[in-house]
Amino acid sequence: EAGVTQFPSHSVIEKGQTVTLRCDPISGHDNLYWYRRVMGKEIKFLLHFVKESKQDESGMPNNRFLAERTGGTYSTLKVQPAELEDSGVYFCASSLSTGTAYEQYFGPGTRLTVT
Amino acid sequence: RKEVEQDPGPFNVPEGATVAFNCTYSNSASQSFFWYRQDCRKEPKLLMSVYSSGNEDGRFTAQLNRASQYISLLIRDSKLSDSATYLCVSRGGGADGLTFGKGTHLIIQP
């Protein structure tokens, strides 16, 4: 079974540019999460989709970040315009359910560098 | 105050030794707890869930103390392959996602 995949693995952009990150969850997983780790800090939750609906976006830092999951399959996270403090590793995770037995499987992450 | 706090280490431990990590959490409404393992430049991977009754998986034992808001992980007979960062994680009590500690770096020395 294929795991969570993310694209690209690395992205280097200049301040003010736009970047779109993509996440493909494990097939059949309705729950999809985005997280971010900036240098020296802990991994932080950004948002949660159940199918195509945003269930919780309390962790999104500001309105420069837009996440979508059209059709309830893959998800994109767009940063526009990017700022220096957006640099970090963006992880996507998926889970089958949100019950007590759930497990979140993480993708390899996208390392974003804003210069 | 961080929601989940861990000693960042590093813990340098000889192969075969027993090592214990602890973490504390501040959100008393947290419902579920986990230990994740993260290798350098890799994604976090679930090591084990943590239950109040304590649970064991091979060489690994996890314990939760809700009264003290404290979680522990014990690794017995440590192997070189146990070298990694161990992330203490909670869920519930607010946002849908997981709340991570910064991690404890473990180095097993031959």
Side-chain angles (χ1 to χ4, degrees), chain B residues 13-83:
Chain B
V13 173
E15 191 176 7
T18 295
V19 59
F21 307 137
N22 306 314
C23 91
T24 58
Y25 62 95
S26 61
N27 188 343
S28 58
S30 297
Q31 296 159 345
S32 308
F33 302 90
F34 311 90
W35 283 101
Y36 274 73
R37 171 195 168 126
Q38 187 173 26
D39 293 290
C40 188
R41 293 185 167 258
K42 298 285 188 180
E43 69 274 21
K45 291 188 176 178
L46 180 66
L47 180 65
M48 59 197 304
S49 301
V50 188
Y51 305 113
S52 297
S53 54
N55 49 301
E56 190 174 305
D57 182 2
R59 298 181 293 109
F60 299 83
T61 301
Q63 190 77 49
L64 165 65
N65 183 323
R66 286 192 183 270
S68 302
Q69 296 185 196
Y70 168 100
I71 301 157
S72 65
L73 176 68
L74 182 79
I75 306 175
R76 288 180 299 280
D77 187 24
S78 53
K79 312 288 183 192
L80 295 176
S81 57
D82 294 334
S83 298

Side-chain angles (χ1 to χ4, degrees), chain A residues 5-106:
Chain A
T5 58
Q6 292 187 245
F7 182 83
S9 57
H10 294 82
S11 180
V12 181
I13 61 171
E14 293 182 353
K15 177 183 171 180
Q17 290 186 321
T18 297
V19 63
T20 300
L21 314 181
R22 172 171 169 145
C23 167
D24 286 77
I26 293 172
S27 178
H29 281 196
D30 286 341
N31 295 276
L32 186 149
Y33 305 80
W34 283 99
Y35 293 86
R36 175 175 77 169
R37 184 170 202 163
V38 298
M39 188 176 292
K41 304 274 188 166
E42 65 274 18
I43 297 171
K44 289 218 163 191
F45 166 73
L46 298 179
L47 88 159
H48 170 211
F49 283 100
V50 178
K51 297 185 179 177
E52 68 275 8
S53 299
K54 289 178 189 173
Q55 194 75 12
D56 179 358
E57 51 185 331
S58 61
M60 293 288 263
N62 52 61
N63 59 10
R64 294 185 294 102
F65 289 75
L66 175 65
E68 293 180 323
R69 193 183 181 197
T70 308
T73 53
Y74 71 90
S75 174
T76 58
L77 180 64
K78 182 162 74 172
V79 185
Q80 179 183 31
E83 299 288 344
L84 298 178
E85 65 264 25
D86 300 333
S87 296
V89 182
Y90 290 77
F91 290 105
C92 175
S94 72
S95 72
L96 191 57
S97 73
T98 56
T100 54
Y102 99 144
E103 174 181 345
Q104 289 189 21
Y105 295 86
F106 281 76

